[in-house]
Amino acid sequence: MNELDELRDLWREQGRSLDELREIEVATLAALKTERLGGSLRRWAWLPAFELAAGIVAQLWLVQFIEGVLGAPLLVASGIALFVAALVATMVAARQVFLAATVDPAGPVAEVQDRLEQLRTLRLWATRWTLLLSPLLWTPLALVLGRAMFGVDLQRAVGWPWLLANLAVGYAAIPLGLRALARASRRWGASAAWQRLREDVAGRSLARARRSLEEIAAFRKEPA
Amino acid sequence: MTVSGQETFVALVREHGRMLVQISHAYGWTEDERKDLHQEVLTQLWKAFPSYDLRRRFSTWMYRIALNVAISSSRRRREHLPLEDAAAAADPGEPRGSELEQRLRSLRQLVAGLPPLERALVLLYLDERSQKEIAEVLGITESNVSTRIHRIKQRLRDRMSVEGEGS
């Protein structure tokens, strides 16, 4: 008989002696009866749903804004840049909402894990690019908000040098930000949040999530 | 949930509690993690129970939810540990027992070092689930189950023969 088969009985027998969790079981079942516990596999659903709604509102608003400034090319270009960013964010959020809404916790494990990893990959992709592109989108955002909220044309008010300097600072902010994050995580190395942010921005979390997806796909595939 | 529904749920969970404990042990490395995971699994089962179809096999439904929660939770907590770390986590440093106990420890270490989905497959196999039910729980074909079990057996055999030579 094979080792694994021989060990089955012992494994099952040992399971009976793993009593340390029984107390948790009793306490949890008692708490559940009074509906005091929460949490869900769909815990990520609310954030993409909010992003989806915000993205749609932003796009509608930007279309109106662009229509109102058709005579000012720089404002139109800024509005279009923001519109494209909002469109991509909305599409990513819509995909996340769909994936989160269609996860059935009682579904086949490989399929559910595949969906959850797709969701995680999308989330990490969106986080990374939001963090990387936000310094570049700051200038068009300042132009658009300056006009929409205060009626100020920043291009005329502060001139091209300010706008170009802003854009240059935006570009420089990306490597500087990464370096600052690295330094901060070395200094506060114990903080999981810093580490996670650094890993997210550097793309390491995304790479791991993609490896997990590949691992799941390989598992589902018939071995050669 | 109705009172009779609650009683049915508690009875079914108690009946299959051993496997839930094994799942918590396989996906939680520390005692705190195991406790949190066990509580999370029970909570998700409870929340999903009103949609459970009583005509379907409870064990299949329960394993799916428990494993989905356990795998997702362990992924959130950390990435798949290298084999050595997993082995260390799975071995609480108990004194060496009989030969059978040593082999069981080797098995635990092997299980701990497997990727999450293969770990689920071994847990179900060790719980004496049929290949059909394992395939249903995991969402893969029976032949896939069979091939993977065969390979894991081979790995275990190799591991134990290496350990046998080393001791």
Side-chain angles (χ1 to χ4, degrees):
Chain A
M1 196 193 284
N2 188 278
E3 299 272 5
L4 197 59
D5 299 319
E6 278 180 36
L7 291 169
R8 261 179 168 178
D9 288 342
L10 193 60
W11 177 272
R12 285 171 65 86
E13 195 53 46
Q14 197 208 33
R16 287 192 189 92
S17 65
L18 297 172
D19 282 338
E20 77 203 59
L21 298 175
R22 294 290 181 181
E23 281 175 32
I24 298 285
E25 192 173 294
V26 172
T28 305
L29 290 173
L32 285 168
K33 286 182 181 173
T34 54
E35 308 278 344
R36 279 192 281 121
L37 294 173
S40 167
L41 279 177
R42 296 196 185 105
R43 69 184 79 228
W44 282 346
W46 67 269
L47 187 59
F50 172 76
E51 288 168 352
L52 178 63
I56 292 169
V57 170
Q59 284 175 75
L60 293 172
W61 183 82
L62 281 164
V63 167
Q64 270 186 325
F65 175 83
I66 292 165
E67 277 175 357
V69 294
L70 283 175
L74 190 63
L75 286 175
V76 171
S78 299
I80 289 173
L82 293 177
F83 180 85
V84 171
L87 179 68
V88 173
T90 306
M91 286 162 64
V92 172
R95 175 80 182 141
Q96 288 181 73
V97 168
F98 170 76
L99 284 169
T102 52
V103 167
D104 173 12
V109 179
E111 188 185 312
V112 171
Q113 292 308 312
D114 186 58
R115 272 176 186 270
L116 291 174
E117 278 304 292
Q118 281 186 48
L119 193 57
R120 190 162 78 109
T121 306
L122 266 177
R123 182 98 227 118
L124 289 167
W125 184 87
T127 304
R128 182 168 190 238
W129 284 105
T130 303
L131 289 170
L132 289 176
L133 288 179
S134 50
L136 296 181
L137 288 173
W138 154 247
T139 307
L141 184 68
L143 283 166
V144 167
L145 290 182
R147 175 61 171 260
M149 295 177 77
F150 308 109
V152 178
D153 187 340
L154 279 177
Q155 183 203 341
R156 285 196 188 140
V158 294
W160 279 104
W162 181 85
L163 290 175
L164 291 174
N166 229 331
L167 208 59
V169 169
Y171 270 113
I174 297 169
L176 287 174
L178 282 172
R179 195 167 294 177
L181 270 174
R183 187 166 288 187
S185 62
R186 270 199 300 275
R187 191 165 179 178
W188 298 296
S191 163
W194 272 115
Q195 293 283 3
R196 199 178 311 131
L197 185 63
R198 189 184 165 196
E199 303 252 301
D200 287 357
V201 175
R204 283 192 285 274
S205 307
L206 185 60
R208 277 201 299 269
R210 286 186 172 141
R211 275 201 301 277
S212 281
L213 267 177
E214 284 168 9
E215 194 181 276
I216 293 167
F219 182 82
R220 296 175 83 180
K221 209 171 136 190
E222 209 75 28
Chain B
M1 203 190 296
T2 62
V3 174
S4 70
Q6 289 180 8
E7 282 168 3
T8 309
F9 176 80
V10 170
L12 285 167
V13 163
R14 294 237 159 96
E15 190 185 326
H16 295 87
R18 183 178 37 78
M19 182 57 175
L20 294 182
V21 172
Q22 294 281 25
I23 289 172
S24 301
H25 265 264
Y27 290 94
W29 300 127
T30 65
E31 197 181 330
D32 283 345
E33 281 180 12
R34 287 194 281 268
K35 284 178 179 172
D36 288 349
L37 182 55
H38 200 59
Q39 189 179 61
E40 198 178 344
V41 167
L42 288 169
T43 306
Q44 292 306 322
L45 287 168
W46 173 273
K47 288 173 108 177
F49 192 65
S51 62
Y52 165 62
D53 181 352
L54 285 165
R55 288 166 300 181
R56 296 181 65 188
R57 196 168 16 195
F58 180 78
S59 58
T60 304
W61 177 86
M62 185 200 75
Y63 291 140
R64 280 180 171 182
I65 293 182
L67 287 166
N68 273 322
V69 172
I71 294 171
S72 306
S73 173
S74 72
R75 279 224 175 90
R76 269 201 310 279
R77 276 181 279 114
R78 72 193 66 179
E79 285 297 314
H80 171 57
L81 285 176
L83 186 61
E84 309 80 58
D85 294 355
D91 188 348
E94 294 154 8
R96 296 269 162 191
S98 66
E99 191 203 338
L100 205 57
E101 281 167 351
Q102 284 180 35
R103 282 160 62 199
L104 186 64
R105 189 175 292 117
S106 282
L107 175 63
R108 278 211 173 276
Q109 289 175 356
L110 177 86
V111 170
L114 290 171
L117 286 168
E118 285 206 348
R119 209 180 308 162
L121 188 148
V122 175
L123 286 176
L124 291 164
Y125 179 77
L126 288 167
D127 198 47
E128 296 184 1
R129 297 291 124 191
S130 67
Q131 289 195 357
K132 186 170 181 284
E133 190 177 4
I134 296 174
E136 260 178 59
V137 170
L138 297 178
I140 55 177
T141 62
E142 280 185 59
S143 63
N144 194 346
V145 171
S146 168
T147 311
R148 287 186 186 281
I149 286 173
H150 177 74
R151 290 183 183 176
I152 290 165
K153 280 179 178 178
Q154 185 60 49
R155 254 186 278 174
L156 181 67
R157 204 177 301 134
D158 293 347
R159 187 189 174 100
M160 286 183 175
S161 64
V162 168
E163 282 179 2
E165 285 164 19
S167 62

